[in-house]
Amino acid sequence: MVHTQLRTSATGTSRAARGLLRVEFVLLTLATLWSILHGAVPAWRDSAPVAILDVFWPLSMLGMAIIGIKIAFAARWRGAARVWPAVAESWALVTVPAFGIFGSPIADWVGAGHLLIGYTMLGLILALRPQLAGSQD
């Protein structure tokens, strides 16, 4: 997703707009490394390095929310492709309050459902109507 956003200059053409996406690549890479280590090596789950990597999930989700808003304001993507990233990438804004209000396991289902629906719809929008995200250079 971030690769497509970078390739199409979805957040804009400025150095800062493109840098935002590159920073997100790093955040997501570190968050994914946490997932791999946490799932593949249960003995490391309580280790300090894995605990530090865990911080990158909420940071990456916050970054994605900012990117979703930036895509809407940059207006390089059109129609549903312009607004749906803000919906799909609002995971933290929806799930964190759900944990505070309902706790687990309800918030776990809210978070999983939000990711599944949000990114499935975004993927379908981009797959079925790629011209909405076409580069406008």
Side-chain angles (χ1 to χ4, degrees):
M1 177 59 56
V2 177
H3 175 73
T4 298
Q5 292 166 345
L6 188 58
R7 188 176 47 90
T8 61
S9 299
T11 56
T13 57
S14 72
R15 186 178 179 140
R18 297 180 68 72
L20 176 66
L21 293 169
R22 288 187 178 98
V23 167
E24 187 60 27
F25 263 129
V26 173
L27 294 174
L28 284 170
T29 298
L30 293 168
T32 301
L33 180 58
W34 174 86
S35 294
I36 291 167
L37 294 175
H38 191 264
V41 190
W44 292 0
R45 287 184 181 163
D46 295 327
S47 70
V50 173
I52 291 168
L53 287 173
D54 190 21
V55 171
F56 290 97
W57 267 123
L59 289 175
S60 70
M61 292 292 102
L62 178 60
M64 292 302 285
I66 293 167
I67 288 167
I69 293 166
K70 181 72 171 110
I71 289 171
F73 280 102
R76 295 190 47 84
W77 286 9
R78 297 175 310 281
R82 178 179 176 185
V83 297
W84 197 262
V87 174
E89 296 164 357
S90 65
W91 181 89
L93 304 175
V94 171
T95 305
V96 171
F99 269 105
I101 296 167
F102 304 110
S104 195
I106 292 173
D108 296 332
W109 285 99
V110 169
H114 188 281
L115 285 174
L116 181 63
I117 293 166
Y119 283 106
T120 298
M121 285 301 300
L122 182 55
L124 286 171
I125 289 165
L126 295 175
L128 298 174
R129 307 230 14 234
Q131 70 277 11
L132 294 178
S135 180
Q136 298 171 1
D137 291 334

